[in-house]
């Protein structure tokens, strides 16, 4: 997503969500990834690291420049012409029988359209939406299909499809790797677990713990004595008895004494005790 310049501004009552203790980049990422509504702007206070998300934009009558409260900064998402509502047909009482490549519940119609636009596993061309339970269907078919019904043969469903005329197809050179999507001139949108200008570098969304190493997209290679997706779980070589809990690995190694004899040393990192039991 492309963002407007930072300015001393705000929208009164512009608080759909708020998150404390964030950088401005983290705040923008929260907005882009918001699924419960179509986030369009952020307000950010660098002093308190406060982040507000909103569906409103600078076109709102409540937009204030400068902000009526000191210390707040404002940014909004700049819409690509091919992403705006103008690139969708008018909403109508219609549907396509069997046009159900994917479905989502509990989302707004704007989020439903955004999911269609961002879909990478198939060429999403249309949505069907039922407002009473916020049910969203994505499909490859359009109103040219022989299974298109006006009105819809099932009550409560509405239909809209993407209009692609006049949209320029973005070109990325070099191309986006690892199933990344070209969303603008030399701008790649990477799949989860990848980053970089061309989605060439794998990454772990959550840090690998206990000296584990990120060796692939969301793959942690754990040190001996740890396992789990993030190397967060301790592994004890011998089972803890009497309801004891393994909370850190016990490492056993062999050293040679002065006479050349192997001597086993047990290095205990953390000892877990239960009342009435001790470790010898």
């Amino acid at each position: 997503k492309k963002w407007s310049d930072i300015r001393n501004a705000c929208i009164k009552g512009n608080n759909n969500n708020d998150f404390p203790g964030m950088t401005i980049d983290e705040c923008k990422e929260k907005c882009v990834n918001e699924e419960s509504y179509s986030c369009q702007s952020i307000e950010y206070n660098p002093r308190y690291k406060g982040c507000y998300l909103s569906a409103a934009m600078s076109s709102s009558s409540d937009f204030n420049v400068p902000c009526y409260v000191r210390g707040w900064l404002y940014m909004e998402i700049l819409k690509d012409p091919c992403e705006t509502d103008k690139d969708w047909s008018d909403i109508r009482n219609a549907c396509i029988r069997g046009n159900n490549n994917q479905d989502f519940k509990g989302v707004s119609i704007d989020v439903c359209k955004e999911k269609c636009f961002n879909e990478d596993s198939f060429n999403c061309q249309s949505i069907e939406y039922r407002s009473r339970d916020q049910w969203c269907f994505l499909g490859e078919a359009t109103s040219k299909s022989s299974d298109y019904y006006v009105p819809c043969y099932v009550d409560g469903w509405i239909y809209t499809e993407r209009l692609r005329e006049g949209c320029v197809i973005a070109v990325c050179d070099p191309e986006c790797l690892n199933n990344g999507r070209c969303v603008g001139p030399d701008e790649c949108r990477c799949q989860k677990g990848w980053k970089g200008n061309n989605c060439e570098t794998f990454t772990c969304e959550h840090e690998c713990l206990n000296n584990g190493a990120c060796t692939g997209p969301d793959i942690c290679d754990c040190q001996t004595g740890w396992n789990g997706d993030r190397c967060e779980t301790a592994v004890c070589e011998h089972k803890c008895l009497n309801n004891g809990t393994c909370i850190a690995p016990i490492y056993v190694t062999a050293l040679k004494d002065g006479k050349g004899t192997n001597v086993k040393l047990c290095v205990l990192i953390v000892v877990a005790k239960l009342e009435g039991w001790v470790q010898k």
Side-chain angles (χ1 to χ4, degrees), residues 199-224:
C199 309
E200 73 280 6
T201 305
F202 59 76
T203 181
C204 292
E205 182 180 4
H206 301 290
E207 179 186 4
C208 301
L209 304 176
N210 300 301
N211 295 319
C214 183
T215 57
D218 288 327
I219 299 173
C220 290
D221 185 13
C222 302
Q223 295 285 327
T224 301

Side-chain angles (χ1 to χ4, degrees), residues 256-261:
K256 292 183 180 294
D257 63 9
K259 300 179 181 179
T261 305

Side-chain angles (χ1 to χ4, degrees), residues 7-27:
R7 66 184 93 169
N8 175 8
C10 60
I11 305 175
K12 196 168 187 177
N14 184 34
N15 307 329
N16 288 72
N17 282 97
D18 66 279
F19 301 93
M22 286 195 162
T23 66
I24 193 168
D25 287 335
E26 290 170 336
C27 186

Side-chain angles (χ1 to χ4, degrees), residues 9 15 48 54 75-76 78-79 89 99 101 132 156 177 189 201 218 229 234 240 276 279-280:
N15 307 329
Y48 303 108
S54 176
M75 295 182 75
E76 65 185 28
L78 299 176
K79 288 292 187 180
S89 67
N99 185 35
N101 291 71
R132 72 168 182 259
L177 304 176
R189 179 180 295 155
T201 305
D218 288 327
D229 291 341
C240 300
Q279 172 150 349
K280 292 184 178 179

Side-chain angles (χ1 to χ4, degrees), residues 18-43:
D18 66 279
F19 301 93
M22 286 195 162
T23 66
I24 193 168
D25 287 335
E26 290 170 336
C27 186
K28 286 156 61 176
E29 187 174 356
K30 279 282 187 185
C31 182
V32 170
N33 294 329
E34 179 57 51
E35 294 189 347
S36 61
Y37 61 93
S38 181
C39 181
Q40 300 296 322
S41 64
I42 66 168
E43 294 170 2

Side-chain angles (χ1 to χ4, degrees), residues 9 14 42 64 68 73 82 102 114 116 135 160 162 164 180 189-190 193 195 206-207 212 230 234-235 241 244:
N14 184 34
I42 66 168
N64 287 263
Y68 62 95
L73 305 175
C82 293
Q102 201 167 1
E114 189 169 348
C116 181
W135 200 355
T160 181
R162 294 172 66 183
R164 305 303 293 167
R189 179 180 295 155
C190 302
K195 66 178 182 178
H206 301 290
E207 179 186 4
R230 300 180 60 199
V235 178
L241 304 179

